[in-house]
Amino acid sequence: MFLFTVKPFRVVGDEENLPFAPNSFDVITSNLALHWVNDLPGTLKTCRRLLKDDRLFIASMFGEGTLQELRNCLILAENERHGGISPHISPYAAISDMGNLLGKAGFALTTSM
Amino acid sequence: MVVFDRAVSKLQQKNRAALHPDSQDFDYLKDEINNRLLDRLEDVYSHQFTNVLEMGSGPGTSTLKFMNEREDVQLLVQQDTSFPMLSRDVELIPKDSRCMLCWCISFWPCF
């Protein structure tokens, strides 16, 4: 029987408007969720504010080359059928941009991979 | 700059994904990436982690399992835009370990 000692406190809210007091978390993680955030610089700045000093922000998100083959197929097919293209795949952030955004948000010792 | 219609279409997408009967079959990608991500927390020795926030947690079972295995985590806050996502796997948590599921309506984005 797995022992659950940590009680999850689940909040239905928006990543861009997190209702938490500044300086309150030790770790902020995000797993495959930031790629649908509109205001990524603002969200990262909020994360920096919510974190206590000298703590960790670690996240994974879909990046630039995700679904590239699907994007290419849709572009070729739509170009052939309709004579133009329209976006069907979400735009994703490039990894170099993410590094810059983390720096601008106030994080030190950033690693992006 | 508004690229994603988070209040309506992305929310509906997540709600539909959570309410789909087979949705637990497709957790494998998120769980595997989450495991690889949270393994990096093992490398940090300088601080104890008491409060952890997870943004965009989805069902949240794999992070919950990971945080239970660490002794120092006391509070795990899991945030998601979609209510069915957060409540999908509530049965997997034993009754006395369940905490509140609250709704931040005042902070909902206005387009």
Short mmCIF file of all heavy atoms in Angstrom, two decimals, chain A residues 34 40-41 44-45 47-48 57-59 95-113:
data_model
loop_
_atom_site.label_atom_id
_atom_site.label_comp_id
_atom_site.label_asym_id
_atom_site.label_seq_id
_atom_site.Cartn_x
_atom_site.Cartn_y
_atom_site.Cartn_z
N LEU A 34 3.37 24.91 -20.29
CA LEU A 34 3.64 26.31 -20.59
C LEU A 34 3.54 26.62 -22.07
O LEU A 34 3.58 27.78 -22.47
CB LEU A 34 5.03 26.70 -20.10
CG LEU A 34 5.20 26.70 -18.59
CD1 LEU A 34 6.63 26.99 -18.24
CD2 LEU A 34 4.29 27.74 -17.98
N LEU A 40 4.03 34.35 -21.81
CA LEU A 40 5.08 33.57 -21.16
C LEU A 40 6.06 34.42 -20.36
O LEU A 40 6.43 34.03 -19.25
CB LEU A 40 5.80 32.74 -22.22
CG LEU A 40 6.60 31.54 -21.72
CD1 LEU A 40 5.80 30.70 -20.78
CD2 LEU A 40 7.05 30.72 -22.90
N PRO A 41 6.51 35.58 -20.85
CA PRO A 41 7.40 36.41 -20.01
C PRO A 41 6.75 36.78 -18.68
O PRO A 41 7.38 36.69 -17.63
CB PRO A 41 7.67 37.64 -20.86
CG PRO A 41 7.40 37.23 -22.24
CD PRO A 41 6.34 36.19 -22.18
N LEU A 44 6.62 33.75 -16.33
CA LEU A 44 7.91 33.44 -15.73
C LEU A 44 8.28 34.45 -14.66
O LEU A 44 8.87 34.10 -13.63
CB LEU A 44 8.99 33.37 -16.80
CG LEU A 44 8.85 32.21 -17.79
CD1 LEU A 44 9.91 32.30 -18.87
CD2 LEU A 44 8.96 30.88 -17.07
N LYS A 45 7.92 35.73 -14.88
CA LYS A 45 8.21 36.73 -13.86
C LYS A 45 7.39 36.45 -12.60
O LYS A 45 7.88 36.60 -11.47
CB LYS A 45 7.88 38.14 -14.36
CG LYS A 45 8.86 38.66 -15.35
CD LYS A 45 8.77 40.18 -15.49
CE LYS A 45 9.75 40.66 -16.52
NZ LYS A 45 9.19 40.84 -17.85
N CYS A 47 6.40 33.52 -11.64
CA CYS A 47 7.03 32.37 -11.00
C CYS A 47 8.22 32.80 -10.16
O CYS A 47 8.42 32.32 -9.04
CB CYS A 47 7.50 31.36 -12.04
SG CYS A 47 6.17 30.50 -12.82
N ARG A 48 9.00 33.73 -10.71
CA ARG A 48 10.17 34.19 -9.96
C ARG A 48 9.74 34.88 -8.68
O ARG A 48 10.35 34.73 -7.62
CB ARG A 48 10.99 35.13 -10.84
CG ARG A 48 12.16 35.79 -10.15
CD ARG A 48 13.19 34.75 -9.74
NE ARG A 48 14.19 35.32 -8.86
CZ ARG A 48 14.11 35.30 -7.53
NH1 ARG A 48 13.06 34.77 -6.93
NH2 ARG A 48 15.07 35.82 -6.80
N PHE A 57 13.13 26.63 -10.18
CA PHE A 57 12.03 26.56 -11.13
C PHE A 57 12.43 25.55 -12.19
O PHE A 57 13.47 25.70 -12.83
CB PHE A 57 11.79 27.93 -11.78
CG PHE A 57 10.83 27.91 -12.93
CD1 PHE A 57 9.47 27.82 -12.71
CD2 PHE A 57 11.29 27.95 -14.23
CE1 PHE A 57 8.58 27.78 -13.78
CE2 PHE A 57 10.41 27.92 -15.29
CZ PHE A 57 9.06 27.83 -15.07
N ILE A 58 11.64 24.50 -12.37
CA ILE A 58 12.02 23.48 -13.34
C ILE A 58 10.78 23.12 -14.14
O ILE A 58 9.71 22.88 -13.60
CB ILE A 58 12.63 22.26 -12.62
CG1 ILE A 58 13.11 21.23 -13.62
CG2 ILE A 58 11.70 21.65 -11.61
CD1 ILE A 58 14.01 20.19 -13.00
N ALA A 59 10.89 23.17 -15.46
CA ALA A 59 9.71 22.97 -16.28
C ALA A 59 10.07 22.27 -17.56
O ALA A 59 11.21 22.30 -18.02
CB ALA A 59 9.06 24.31 -16.60
N ILE A 95 14.17 27.22 -28.08
CA ILE A 95 14.87 27.00 -26.82
C ILE A 95 15.75 28.19 -26.45
O ILE A 95 15.90 28.53 -25.27
CB ILE A 95 15.66 25.68 -26.87
CG1 ILE A 95 16.09 25.28 -25.48
CG2 ILE A 95 16.82 25.77 -27.81
CD1 ILE A 95 16.61 23.91 -25.39
N SER A 96 16.30 28.86 -27.46
CA SER A 96 17.12 30.03 -27.14
C SER A 96 16.26 31.14 -26.57
O SER A 96 16.66 31.85 -25.65
CB SER A 96 17.86 30.49 -28.39
OG SER A 96 16.95 30.63 -29.45
N ASP A 97 15.03 31.27 -27.11
CA ASP A 97 14.12 32.27 -26.56
C ASP A 97 13.76 31.96 -25.12
O ASP A 97 13.62 32.87 -24.29
CB ASP A 97 12.83 32.33 -27.39
CG ASP A 97 13.09 32.81 -28.79
OD1 ASP A 97 14.14 33.45 -29.00
OD2 ASP A 97 12.25 32.56 -29.68
N MET A 98 13.60 30.68 -24.82
CA MET A 98 13.26 30.30 -23.45
C MET A 98 14.39 30.67 -22.49
O MET A 98 14.16 31.15 -21.40
CB MET A 98 12.99 28.80 -23.35
CG MET A 98 11.64 28.38 -23.85
SD MET A 98 10.31 29.36 -23.16
CE MET A 98 10.43 28.97 -21.44
N GLY A 99 15.64 30.45 -22.95
CA GLY A 99 16.76 30.83 -22.12
C GLY A 99 16.76 32.32 -21.83
O GLY A 99 16.97 32.76 -20.70
N ASN A 100 16.49 33.11 -22.87
CA ASN A 100 16.44 34.56 -22.69
C ASN A 100 15.32 34.98 -21.76
O ASN A 100 15.48 35.86 -20.92
CB ASN A 100 16.24 35.25 -24.04
CG ASN A 100 17.49 35.20 -24.89
OD1 ASN A 100 18.58 35.06 -24.36
ND2 ASN A 100 17.33 35.31 -26.19
N LEU A 101 14.15 34.34 -21.93
CA LEU A 101 13.01 34.69 -21.09
C LEU A 101 13.28 34.38 -19.63
O LEU A 101 12.89 35.14 -18.74
CB LEU A 101 11.76 33.94 -21.54
CG LEU A 101 11.09 34.46 -22.81
CD1 LEU A 101 9.88 33.62 -23.13
CD2 LEU A 101 10.66 35.90 -22.61
N LEU A 102 13.94 33.26 -19.39
CA LEU A 102 14.27 32.92 -18.01
C LEU A 102 15.22 33.94 -17.42
O LEU A 102 15.08 34.36 -16.27
CB LEU A 102 14.91 31.53 -17.94
CG LEU A 102 13.98 30.34 -18.10
CD1 LEU A 102 14.79 29.07 -18.20
CD2 LEU A 102 13.03 30.25 -16.93
N GLY A 103 16.18 34.39 -18.23
CA GLY A 103 17.10 35.41 -17.75
C GLY A 103 16.39 36.71 -17.45
O GLY A 103 16.61 37.35 -16.43
N LYS A 104 15.48 37.11 -18.34
CA LYS A 104 14.76 38.37 -18.14
C LYS A 104 13.82 38.29 -16.96
O LYS A 104 13.52 39.30 -16.33
CB LYS A 104 13.93 38.69 -19.39
CG LYS A 104 14.69 39.41 -20.44
CD LYS A 104 13.73 40.08 -21.41
CE LYS A 104 14.47 40.29 -22.72
NZ LYS A 104 13.63 40.16 -23.86
N ALA A 105 13.33 37.09 -16.66
CA ALA A 105 12.40 36.97 -15.53
C ALA A 105 13.12 37.06 -14.20
O ALA A 105 12.49 37.18 -13.16
CB ALA A 105 11.66 35.64 -15.61
N GLY A 106 14.44 36.99 -14.24
CA GLY A 106 15.19 37.15 -13.01
C GLY A 106 15.80 35.88 -12.47
O GLY A 106 16.26 35.85 -11.34
N PHE A 107 15.79 34.81 -13.25
CA PHE A 107 16.39 33.58 -12.79
C PHE A 107 17.88 33.60 -13.09
O PHE A 107 18.31 34.03 -14.15
CB PHE A 107 15.76 32.38 -13.50
CG PHE A 107 14.35 32.11 -13.07
CD1 PHE A 107 13.29 32.43 -13.88
CD2 PHE A 107 14.09 31.52 -11.84
CE1 PHE A 107 11.98 32.19 -13.49
CE2 PHE A 107 12.79 31.28 -11.44
CZ PHE A 107 11.73 31.61 -12.26
N ALA A 108 18.65 33.07 -12.13
CA ALA A 108 20.07 32.91 -12.35
C ALA A 108 20.34 31.43 -12.60
O ALA A 108 19.50 30.59 -12.36
CB ALA A 108 20.85 33.40 -11.12
N LEU A 109 21.50 31.09 -13.04
CA LEU A 109 21.91 29.70 -13.26
C LEU A 109 20.88 28.95 -14.11
O LEU A 109 20.38 27.91 -13.73
CB LEU A 109 22.07 28.96 -11.93
CG LEU A 109 23.17 29.47 -10.99
CD1 LEU A 109 23.10 28.71 -9.69
CD2 LEU A 109 24.52 29.30 -11.61
N THR A 110 20.54 29.53 -15.26
CA THR A 110 19.53 28.87 -16.09
C THR A 110 20.18 27.78 -16.93
O THR A 110 21.28 27.93 -17.45
CB THR A 110 18.84 29.86 -17.01
OG1 THR A 110 19.83 30.48 -17.82
CG2 THR A 110 18.12 30.92 -16.23
N THR A 111 19.46 26.69 -17.07
CA THR A 111 19.89 25.62 -17.95
C THR A 111 18.72 25.28 -18.83
O THR A 111 17.62 25.01 -18.33
CB THR A 111 20.24 24.35 -17.14
OG1 THR A 111 21.01 24.72 -16.02
CG2 THR A 111 20.99 23.36 -17.98
N SER A 112 18.90 25.30 -20.12
CA SER A 112 17.80 24.90 -20.97
C SER A 112 18.31 23.80 -21.89
O SER A 112 19.41 23.87 -22.41
CB SER A 112 17.24 26.07 -21.76
OG SER A 112 18.27 26.87 -22.26
N MET A 113 17.52 22.77 -22.04
CA MET A 113 17.95 21.68 -22.91
C MET A 113 16.75 21.05 -23.60
O MET A 113 15.63 21.15 -23.18
CB MET A 113 18.71 20.64 -22.12
CG MET A 113 18.00 20.20 -20.89
SD MET A 113 19.03 19.19 -19.81
CE MET A 113 19.93 18.24 -20.93
#
